Amino acid sequence: MTIKISIDCMGGDHGPSVTIPAAASFLRREADAELILVGQEQVLLPLLKKYKLADDPRVQIKNASEIITMEDPIEVALRRKKDSSMRVAVTLVKEGLAQASVSAGNTGALMAVSRYILKTLPGVDRPAICTILPNQKDGPTYMLDLGANVDCEPQHLHQFALMGSALVAVMEGKPRPTVGLLNIGEEDIKGNELVKQTALLLRADHQKGTLNFYGNVEGNDIFEGTTDLVVCDGFVGNVTLKASEGLGRFVKIVLTTEFKKGFFNKLGALIAYGALKALSRRLNPSRYNGASLLGLRGLVFKSHGGADVYAFEWAIRRAYDAAKYDVLSRIGATIAELMPQAETPRVADAAAEDVAAVVVGNASALASTETIEQKTV
Amino acid sequence: MTIKISIDCMGGDHGPSVTIPAAASFLRREADAELILVGQEQVLLPLLKKYKLADDPRVQIKNASEIITMEDPIEVALRRKKDSSMRVAVTLVKEGLAQASVSAGNTGALMAVSRYILKTLPGVDRPAICTILPNQKDGPTYMLDLGANVDCEPQHLHQFALMGSALVAVMEGKPRPTVGLLNIGEEDIKGNELVKQTALLLRADHQKGTLNFYGNVEGNDIFEGTTDLVVCDGFVGNVTLKASEGLGRFVKIVLTTEFKKGFFNKLGALIAYGALKALSRRLNPSRYNGASLLGLRGLVFKSHGGADVYAFEWAIRRAYDAAKYDVLSRIGATIAELMPQAETPRVADAAAEDVAAVVVGNASALASTETIEQKTV
């Protein structure tokens, strides 16, 4: 079965110089994949030739005249640049011409555009961003929300848990993934009001057998791999993710600096090259690139803006896998079956229709979509 | 000038087997320090002999018959074990017999006991836990709150910023330390309501020249050393700290495992021993052991429960430095001068008097003191 992915080739810090070679590399590995490369034709064509994609029958070019920059406010993405590569790529999913879309562009804009074009799934108040992180068990820990929603209510975290659980079940082939609620202690009495109320909802699901709720987990459990999924609000998730990225870079800088100091350290590094390479592979954030925008009526994946070719290829792969395993129907079915409708008034979706009329601030970084939430709901 | 520190010798995972040798090592390095070692005399005496402290004129033993375990609920620490080593050590500070106290015991219990015995400083609603973390600039980043308070209001974060700023000023000899507000983006429009409201208060202080407010910082800025101090609520701080600890351990495990795989990796590690040692030194969490309980009418320092001798000695050193530089008066003066009294009704302090009567749950981990807050305020 052929899987067709639309790629916003102009997004990210490096644009087509990264997205096109990543697309070429991905196509070489995946025989049943087809790609729709979206962007300014005159910019893309020379690169397609360079990477021998110009005559590839599995490649289609879709012209889009505009580019959403990392600095563009959400309103520009939504109201002005209607022919942006990002928007055209997502629209292909809406029209059923692609099964998933990938962009390395501005997260806030991508979330706003995707929500506006695709709408949310029935029963979902707010889409969330779900990523994977490495853990000690050499497996991935899924975590959401990473910044699409701040000031969450318990029912939002409840929805995140159900969506995330469905995602892990499909992507990892684990029918009953364990779900942890991020807290500051393991005991039930710990935490703020949000997590205490959320725990009640998740525990009720656990008792019904519809969710494999492990209980509270702490920050360290993310990297220990205590649970398959970690649920938190977007503020906590975003800060934790960025702190981890910052610590990771810090460790890398110290390692690199120290191994370059003096003859013996350099020699040792050369001899232990295998260990350093394995270390770099196991801790390489590129392998974990590609966050899902969950809760939409279509599959959209967000690559890190600074992704290199290798990392962007991982994001395409994730979108491809999600489409192949039909993540969307699974999440839709889970939410439809398990989400008590009373708890999810369908105001958010109607409000999203008006989102284009909303003037909001700059959305260059992750997590800016909450401003849309606040203004439209 | 002699500085006298009281040490809860029975606290922590290892008790006197760690605290006594750490005390001995500290005394060897610090000629003008005196220590009051608090705990069960019959347990301490043999160890004092072993570490040649039995006849040291700079060492005093203070018997305390009880021990607060890591599992003891706060109510046990407050109401039942009135002759605990932790409580006796803190009481010595209250009585002016010691200038600071150090414990590796149960954080929730230590915060509750310290608050009950010492009371909060005028103008402080809630004490906070402040720790230091390593950063790329090879300096420390101070961060608070680490878990004493969840569900904070803007005025609490405001107080944390003022207290933390005063602490950094004294401990690092920086008259105007930069203060960052932990958020999910740099722009003013980012974040949840708590940080947006807090930013207004901090910006007003900055305009008055009473606080060097840098603006919003993100998770990665903690380890990049963007600001001297990072302010956040206890939930976010605790999760971030524990996630960082978890990631640090993960990296260490991967490093150790990979360098032990095969002859060449082992040989390389041996040759590059200097680099690995420097790496371990720069990333060693022991060097950063010793969190301050800020906002109390006395200096109390919390060591990691699992601290080894080296790490516990660091915690003693931090307490010693804080006493030497008179951190307490500086924080008191800062709060008295800068904290608008209207914003800090003095209910919390009065309520703390009744804290002993409060029955709360288990307090074995960091961050459980919020239950006291909620029940007494």
Side-chain angles (χ1 to χ4, degrees), chain A residues 166-215:
Chain A
L167 178 74
V168 181
V170 182
M171 296 290 270
E172 303 296 320
K174 286 189 177 181
R176 284 180 56 71
T178 48
V179 177
L181 179 62
L182 195 57
N183 202 340
I184 58 169
E186 286 174 18
E187 303 85 352
D188 291 348
I189 60 146
K190 293 291 175 62
N192 54 22
E193 277 311 303
L194 174 63
V195 296
K196 285 180 192 170
Q197 296 302 319
T198 304
L200 297 178
L201 298 174
L202 301 186
R203 208 165 292 120
D205 278 3
H206 185 78
Q207 276 153 6
K208 284 185 279 174
T210 52
L211 192 81
N212 191 1
F213 180 48
Y214 171 89

Tab-separated table of all heavy atoms in Angstrom, chain A residues 166-215:
chain	number	residue	atom	x	y	z
A	166	ALA	N	-3.452	5.985	22.821
A	166	ALA	CA	-3.794	5.392	21.521
A	166	ALA	C	-2.605	5.485	20.562
A	166	ALA	O	-2.303	4.540	19.825
A	166	ALA	CB	-5.012	6.102	20.923
A	167	LEU	N	-1.899	6.609	20.605
A	167	LEU	CA	-0.727	6.791	19.736
A	167	LEU	C	0.355	5.759	20.041
A	167	LEU	O	0.882	5.098	19.143
A	167	LEU	CB	-0.160	8.209	19.914
A	167	LEU	CG	1.096	8.532	19.100
A	167	LEU	CD1	0.754	8.726	17.623
A	167	LEU	CD2	1.793	9.792	19.627
A	168	VAL	N	0.679	5.608	21.328
A	168	VAL	CA	1.724	4.655	21.715
A	168	VAL	C	1.310	3.236	21.349
A	168	VAL	O	2.121	2.451	20.833
A	168	VAL	CB	2.025	4.730	23.235
A	168	VAL	CG1	3.127	3.755	23.602
A	168	VAL	CG2	2.413	6.145	23.632
A	169	ALA	N	0.033	2.914	21.594
A	169	ALA	CA	-0.452	1.568	21.294
A	169	ALA	C	-0.163	1.210	19.834
A	169	ALA	O	0.370	0.133	19.535
A	169	ALA	CB	-1.959	1.484	21.572
A	170	VAL	N	-0.461	2.147	18.943
A	170	VAL	CA	-0.295	1.879	17.519
A	170	VAL	C	1.182	1.926	17.110
A	170	VAL	O	1.689	1.014	16.472
A	170	VAL	CB	-1.086	2.910	16.686
A	170	VAL	CG1	-0.947	2.598	15.204
A	170	VAL	CG2	-2.547	2.910	17.088
A	171	MET	N	1.864	3.005	17.505
A	171	MET	CA	3.236	3.205	17.034
A	171	MET	C	4.203	2.173	17.596
A	171	MET	O	5.181	1.806	16.959
A	171	MET	CB	3.725	4.619	17.383
A	171	MET	CG	2.954	5.739	16.703
A	171	MET	SD	3.224	5.868	14.908
A	171	MET	CE	4.638	6.987	14.847
A	172	GLU	N	3.969	1.743	18.836
A	172	GLU	CA	4.905	0.810	19.471
A	172	GLU	C	4.375	-0.624	19.518
A	172	GLU	O	5.049	-1.509	20.048
A	172	GLU	CB	5.231	1.277	20.896
A	172	GLU	CG	5.799	2.689	20.996
A	172	GLU	CD	7.152	2.827	20.297
A	172	GLU	OE1	7.969	1.889	20.402
A	172	GLU	OE2	7.377	3.856	19.624
A	173	GLY	N	3.162	-0.810	19.009
A	173	GLY	CA	2.591	-2.148	19.052
A	173	GLY	C	2.384	-2.666	20.466
A	173	GLY	O	2.528	-3.851	20.746
A	174	LYS	N	2.067	-1.742	21.378
A	174	LYS	CA	1.786	-2.145	22.763
A	174	LYS	C	0.301	-1.906	23.027
A	174	LYS	O	-0.125	-0.758	23.152
A	174	LYS	CB	2.577	-1.260	23.741
A	174	LYS	CG	4.053	-1.562	23.795
A	174	LYS	CD	4.703	-0.778	24.942
A	174	LYS	CE	6.179	-1.121	25.048
A	174	LYS	NZ	6.864	-0.431	26.121
A	175	PRO	N	-0.483	-2.933	23.151
A	175	PRO	CA	-1.923	-2.730	23.279
A	175	PRO	C	-2.324	-1.930	24.524
A	175	PRO	O	-3.284	-1.182	24.482
A	175	PRO	CB	-2.485	-4.147	23.349
A	175	PRO	CG	-1.372	-5.067	23.000
A	175	PRO	CD	-0.088	-4.337	23.193
A	176	ARG	N	-1.590	-2.097	25.609
A	176	ARG	CA	-1.972	-1.393	26.835
A	176	ARG	C	-0.778	-0.632	27.413
A	176	ARG	O	-0.227	-0.999	28.458
A	176	ARG	CB	-2.507	-2.382	27.880
A	176	ARG	CG	-3.941	-2.852	27.577
A	176	ARG	CD	-4.467	-3.824	28.617
A	176	ARG	NE	-4.443	-3.339	29.986
A	176	ARG	CZ	-5.237	-2.392	30.464
A	176	ARG	NH1	-6.112	-1.814	29.680
A	176	ARG	NH2	-5.156	-2.022	31.728
A	177	PRO	N	-0.371	0.444	26.754
A	177	PRO	CA	0.793	1.187	27.243
A	177	PRO	C	0.515	1.795	28.614
A	177	PRO	O	-0.619	2.179	28.914
A	177	PRO	CB	0.986	2.273	26.189
A	177	PRO	CG	-0.334	2.412	25.509
A	177	PRO	CD	-0.977	1.064	25.563
A	178	THR	N	1.549	1.864	29.439
A	178	THR	CA	1.384	2.466	30.761
A	178	THR	C	1.428	3.993	30.649
A	178	THR	O	2.193	4.550	29.887
A	178	THR	CB	2.508	2.019	31.715
A	178	THR	OG1	3.758	2.176	31.046
A	178	THR	CG2	2.343	0.553	32.097
A	179	VAL	N	0.567	4.623	31.447
A	179	VAL	CA	0.429	6.078	31.401
A	179	VAL	C	0.779	6.659	32.768
A	179	VAL	O	0.210	6.257	33.782
A	179	VAL	CB	-1.021	6.471	31.038
A	179	VAL	CG1	-1.196	7.983	31.059
A	179	VAL	CG2	-1.402	5.900	29.679
A	180	GLY	N	1.734	7.580	32.800
A	180	GLY	CA	2.103	8.244	34.058
A	180	GLY	C	1.667	9.700	34.037
A	180	GLY	O	1.692	10.348	32.992
A	181	LEU	N	1.266	10.187	35.184
A	181	LEU	CA	0.880	11.597	35.303
A	181	LEU	C	2.042	12.327	35.971
A	181	LEU	O	2.434	11.994	37.095
A	181	LEU	CB	-0.393	11.701	36.153
A	181	LEU	CG	-0.949	13.097	36.414
A	181	LEU	CD1	-1.356	13.793	35.120
A	181	LEU	CD2	-2.158	13.013	37.357
A	182	LEU	N	2.599	13.305	35.284
A	182	LEU	CA	3.791	13.989	35.801
A	182	LEU	C	3.435	14.817	37.039
A	182	LEU	O	2.544	15.660	37.006
A	182	LEU	CB	4.383	14.897	34.712
A	182	LEU	CG	5.812	15.408	34.964
A	182	LEU	CD1	6.790	14.277	35.177
A	182	LEU	CD2	6.276	16.288	33.809
A	183	ASN	N	4.153	14.529	38.130
A	183	ASN	CA	3.838	15.169	39.409
A	183	ASN	C	5.138	15.371	40.187
A	183	ASN	O	6.227	15.066	39.704
A	183	ASN	CB	2.843	14.282	40.175
A	183	ASN	CG	2.063	15.047	41.222
A	183	ASN	OD1	2.463	16.131	41.659
A	183	ASN	ND2	0.950	14.488	41.652
A	184	ILE	N	5.019	15.894	41.403
A	184	ILE	CA	6.211	16.177	42.188
A	184	ILE	C	6.375	15.182	43.318
A	184	ILE	O	7.081	15.430	44.287
A	184	ILE	CB	6.181	17.610	42.747
A	184	ILE	CG1	4.935	17.809	43.605
A	184	ILE	CG2	6.180	18.621	41.623
A	184	ILE	CD1	4.960	19.101	44.393
A	185	GLY	N	5.724	14.058	43.211
A	185	GLY	CA	5.856	13.004	44.201
A	185	GLY	C	4.965	11.863	43.743
A	185	GLY	O	4.088	12.057	42.899
A	186	GLU	N	5.214	10.695	44.277
A	186	GLU	CA	4.439	9.551	43.811
A	186	GLU	C	3.088	9.413	44.516
A	186	GLU	O	2.157	8.818	43.990
A	186	GLU	CB	5.241	8.270	44.023
A	186	GLU	CG	6.371	8.127	43.027
A	186	GLU	CD	7.241	6.931	43.329
A	186	GLU	OE1	6.798	6.039	44.065
A	186	GLU	OE2	8.378	6.909	42.844
A	187	GLU	N	3.010	9.931	45.742
A	187	GLU	CA	1.801	9.724	46.533
A	187	GLU	C	0.634	10.548	45.987
A	187	GLU	O	0.819	11.607	45.414
A	187	GLU	CB	2.045	10.119	47.992
A	187	GLU	CG	3.199	9.378	48.645
A	187	GLU	CD	4.545	10.034	48.380
A	187	GLU	OE1	4.598	10.974	47.563
A	187	GLU	OE2	5.536	9.594	48.970
A	188	ASP	N	-0.569	10.045	46.236
A	188	ASP	CA	-1.769	10.708	45.726
A	188	ASP	C	-1.947	12.121	46.261
A	188	ASP	O	-2.529	12.974	45.606
A	188	ASP	CB	-3.028	9.903	46.128
A	188	ASP	CG	-3.072	8.581	45.383
A	188	ASP	OD1	-2.294	8.413	44.435
A	188	ASP	OD2	-3.898	7.737	45.765
A	189	ILE	N	-1.453	12.364	47.488
A	189	ILE	CA	-1.700	13.671	48.090
A	189	ILE	C	-0.796	14.748	47.500
A	189	ILE	O	-0.970	15.929	47.774
A	189	ILE	CB	-1.503	13.674	49.621
A	189	ILE	CG1	-0.058	13.270	49.975
A	189	ILE	CG2	-2.479	12.765	50.310
A	189	ILE	CD1	0.465	13.984	51.202
A	190	LYS	N	0.185	14.349	46.711
A	190	LYS	CA	1.126	15.319	46.160
A	190	LYS	C	0.554	16.083	44.977
A	190	LYS	O	-0.325	15.598	44.291
A	190	LYS	CB	2.387	14.579	45.691
A	190	LYS	CG	3.201	13.960	46.792
A	190	LYS	CD	3.867	14.999	47.662
A	190	LYS	CE	4.581	14.374	48.841
A	190	LYS	NZ	5.657	13.488	48.476
A	191	GLY	N	1.135	17.257	44.739
A	191	GLY	CA	0.857	17.965	43.510
A	191	GLY	C	-0.092	19.132	43.616
A	191	GLY	O	-0.600	19.445	44.699
A	192	ASN	N	-0.303	19.783	42.495
A	192	ASN	CA	-1.233	20.909	42.479
A	192	ASN	C	-2.647	20.399	42.174
A	192	ASN	O	-2.858	19.211	41.917
A	192	ASN	CB	-0.759	21.979	41.480
A	192	ASN	CG	-0.526	21.417	40.085
A	192	ASN	OD1	-1.079	20.373	39.739
A	192	ASN	ND2	0.282	22.102	39.300
A	193	GLU	N	-3.594	21.312	42.191
A	193	GLU	CA	-4.992	20.910	42.003
A	193	GLU	C	-5.211	20.220	40.661
A	193	GLU	O	-5.966	19.257	40.562
A	193	GLU	CB	-5.911	22.130	42.139
A	193	GLU	CG	-6.242	22.469	43.582
A	193	GLU	CD	-6.706	21.250	44.386
A	193	GLU	OE1	-7.694	20.619	43.973
A	193	GLU	OE2	-6.071	20.920	45.405
A	194	LEU	N	-4.538	20.755	39.634
A	194	LEU	CA	-4.719	20.199	38.288
A	194	LEU	C	-4.402	18.702	38.252
A	194	LEU	O	-5.205	17.907	37.758
A	194	LEU	CB	-3.826	20.955	37.287
A	194	LEU	CG	-3.795	20.393	35.862
A	194	LEU	CD1	-5.168	20.464	35.205
A	194	LEU	CD2	-2.771	21.138	35.004
A	195	VAL	N	-3.256	18.318	38.790
A	195	VAL	CA	-2.895	16.897	38.705
A	195	VAL	C	-3.747	16.042	39.645
A	195	VAL	O	-4.073	14.909	39.324
A	195	VAL	CB	-1.383	16.626	38.948
A	195	VAL	CG1	-0.545	17.278	37.862
A	195	VAL	CG2	-0.939	17.084	40.300
A	196	LYS	N	-4.118	16.604	40.776
A	196	LYS	CA	-4.961	15.818	41.689
A	196	LYS	C	-6.312	15.484	41.042
A	196	LYS	O	-6.796	14.362	41.130
A	196	LYS	CB	-5.186	16.581	42.997
A	196	LYS	CG	-3.967	16.582	43.910
A	196	LYS	CD	-4.252	17.352	45.183
A	196	LYS	CE	-2.977	17.612	45.959
A	196	LYS	NZ	-3.190	18.552	47.060
A	197	GLN	N	-6.904	16.487	40.400
A	197	GLN	CA	-8.200	16.257	39.737
A	197	GLN	C	-8.034	15.337	38.528
A	197	GLN	O	-8.883	14.486	38.270
A	197	GLN	CB	-8.810	17.604	39.290
A	197	GLN	CG	-9.163	18.544	40.438
A	197	GLN	CD	-10.137	17.917	41.417
A	197	GLN	OE1	-11.084	17.245	41.028
A	197	GLN	NE2	-9.886	18.097	42.706
A	198	THR	N	-6.945	15.527	37.802
A	198	THR	CA	-6.704	14.679	36.630
A	198	THR	C	-6.532	13.220	37.052
A	198	THR	O	-7.041	12.307	36.397
A	198	THR	CB	-5.443	15.150	35.876
A	198	THR	OG1	-5.601	16.525	35.529
A	198	THR	CG2	-5.219	14.337	34.617
A	199	ALA	N	-5.825	13.026	38.161
A	199	ALA	CA	-5.581	11.657	38.643
A	199	ALA	C	-6.904	10.928	38.889
A	199	ALA	O	-7.027	9.728	38.606
A	199	ALA	CB	-4.729	11.677	39.904
A	200	LEU	N	-7.903	11.643	39.384
A	200	LEU	CA	-9.205	11.011	39.632
A	200	LEU	C	-9.815	10.502	38.320
A	200	LEU	O	-10.345	9.386	38.261
A	200	LEU	CB	-10.172	12.020	40.281
A	200	LEU	CG	-9.768	12.558	41.666
A	200	LEU	CD1	-10.797	13.574	42.159
A	200	LEU	CD2	-9.618	11.415	42.665
A	201	LEU	N	-9.716	11.323	37.283
A	201	LEU	CA	-10.271	10.920	35.983
A	201	LEU	C	-9.520	9.722	35.412
A	201	LEU	O	-10.126	8.778	34.898
A	201	LEU	CB	-10.193	12.090	34.987
A	201	LEU	CG	-10.982	13.360	35.344
A	201	LEU	CD1	-10.686	14.480	34.349
A	201	LEU	CD2	-12.475	13.052	35.370
A	202	LEU	N	-8.188	9.753	35.534
A	202	LEU	CA	-7.386	8.664	34.963
A	202	LEU	C	-7.580	7.370	35.754
A	202	LEU	O	-7.602	6.275	35.193
A	202	LEU	CB	-5.905	9.054	34.917
A	202	LEU	CG	-5.567	10.316	34.111
A	202	LEU	CD1	-4.049	10.515	34.030
A	202	LEU	CD2	-6.146	10.264	32.699
A	203	ARG	N	-7.732	7.534	37.074
A	203	ARG	CA	-7.927	6.334	37.896
A	203	ARG	C	-9.274	5.678	37.586
A	203	ARG	O	-9.381	4.447	37.553
A	203	ARG	CB	-7.816	6.704	39.388
A	203	ARG	CG	-7.328	5.535	40.220
A	203	ARG	CD	-6.870	5.943	41.605
A	203	ARG	NE	-5.669	6.747	41.541
A	203	ARG	CZ	-5.576	7.992	41.994
A	203	ARG	NH1	-6.602	8.589	42.576
A	203	ARG	NH2	-4.440	8.648	41.882
A	204	ALA	N	-10.269	6.524	37.330
A	204	ALA	CA	-11.590	5.975	36.964
A	204	ALA	C	-11.487	5.188	35.659
A	204	ALA	O	-12.040	4.088	35.539
A	204	ALA	CB	-12.599	7.113	36.825
A	205	ASP	N	-10.743	5.713	34.694
A	205	ASP	CA	-10.528	4.995	33.432
A	205	ASP	C	-9.812	3.673	33.672
A	205	ASP	O	-10.107	2.665	33.034
A	205	ASP	CB	-9.665	5.837	32.477
A	205	ASP	CG	-10.494	6.863	31.730
A	205	ASP	OD1	-11.706	6.948	31.990
A	205	ASP	OD2	-9.920	7.587	30.896
A	206	HIS	N	-8.845	3.731	34.578
A	206	HIS	CA	-8.079	2.521	34.876
A	206	HIS	C	-8.995	1.439	35.447
A	206	HIS	O	-8.892	0.265	35.099
A	206	HIS	CB	-6.958	2.847	35.861
A	206	HIS	CG	-6.039	1.689	36.128
A	206	HIS	ND1	-5.050	1.316	35.250
A	206	HIS	CD2	-5.981	0.806	37.159
A	206	HIS	CE1	-4.412	0.261	35.730
A	206	HIS	NE2	-4.963	-0.064	36.888
A	207	GLN	N	-9.878	1.876	36.326
A	207	GLN	CA	-10.793	0.908	36.935
A	207	GLN	C	-11.762	0.310	35.914
A	207	GLN	O	-12.129	-0.849	36.005
A	207	GLN	CB	-11.537	1.540	38.120
A	207	GLN	CG	-10.692	1.466	39.395
A	207	GLN	CD	-11.008	2.555	40.396
A	207	GLN	OE1	-11.944	3.327	40.203
A	207	GLN	NE2	-10.235	2.642	41.458
A	208	LYS	N	-12.119	1.133	34.924
A	208	LYS	CA	-12.980	0.617	33.850
A	208	LYS	C	-12.190	-0.256	32.876
A	208	LYS	O	-12.761	-0.904	32.011
A	208	LYS	CB	-13.592	1.792	33.069
A	208	LYS	CG	-14.738	2.480	33.812
A	208	LYS	CD	-15.385	3.549	32.928
A	208	LYS	CE	-14.584	4.838	32.955
A	208	LYS	NZ	-15.039	5.884	32.048
A	209	GLY	N	-10.871	-0.203	33.012
A	209	GLY	CA	-10.033	-1.006	32.110
A	209	GLY	C	-9.757	-0.332	30.774
A	209	GLY	O	-9.230	-0.955	29.851
A	210	THR	N	-10.111	0.945	30.657
A	210	THR	CA	-9.934	1.614	29.371
A	210	THR	C	-8.606	2.356	29.246
A	210	THR	O	-8.263	2.860	28.188
A	210	THR	CB	-11.084	2.613	29.129
A	210	THR	OG1	-11.200	3.465	30.271
A	210	THR	CG2	-12.389	1.882	28.923
A	211	LEU	N	-7.878	2.442	30.364
A	211	LEU	CA	-6.571	3.111	30.337
A	211	LEU	C	-5.674	2.408	31.339
A	211	LEU	O	-6.116	2.052	32.426
A	211	LEU	CB	-6.746	4.592	30.732
A	211	LEU	CG	-5.544	5.508	30.485
A	211	LEU	CD1	-5.508	5.943	29.022
A	211	LEU	CD2	-5.610	6.740	31.370
A	212	ASN	N	-4.424	2.208	30.975
A	212	ASN	CA	-3.488	1.532	31.868
A	212	ASN	C	-2.735	2.608	32.676
A	212	ASN	O	-1.585	2.909	32.397
A	212	ASN	CB	-2.543	0.676	31.041
A	212	ASN	CG	-1.711	-0.257	31.895
A	212	ASN	OD1	-1.843	-0.285	33.124
A	212	ASN	ND2	-0.842	-1.017	31.254
A	213	PHE	N	-3.425	3.170	33.669
A	213	PHE	CA	-2.865	4.291	34.437
A	213	PHE	C	-1.927	3.771	35.529
A	213	PHE	O	-2.340	3.067	36.440
A	213	PHE	CB	-4.008	5.118	35.037
A	213	PHE	CG	-3.542	6.307	35.841
A	213	PHE	CD1	-2.575	7.169	35.332
A	213	PHE	CD2	-4.081	6.584	37.090
A	213	PHE	CE1	-2.140	8.272	36.064
A	213	PHE	CE2	-3.666	7.689	37.824
A	213	PHE	CZ	-2.690	8.524	37.311
A	214	TYR	N	-0.678	4.169	35.422
A	214	TYR	CA	0.345	3.719	36.381
A	214	TYR	C	0.256	4.505	37.677
A	214	TYR	O	0.553	4.021	38.759
A	214	TYR	CB	1.716	3.920	35.733
A	214	TYR	CG	2.900	3.723	36.632
A	214	TYR	CD1	3.489	2.472	36.788
A	214	TYR	CD2	3.453	4.810	37.321
A	214	TYR	CE1	4.591	2.300	37.609
A	214	TYR	CE2	4.548	4.642	38.145
A	214	TYR	CZ	5.115	3.391	38.293
A	214	TYR	OH	6.203	3.232	39.111
A	215	GLY	N	-0.118	5.780	37.556
A	215	GLY	CA	-0.141	6.667	38.720
A	215	GLY	C	0.767	7.853	38.478
A	215	GLY	O	1.143	8.141	37.340
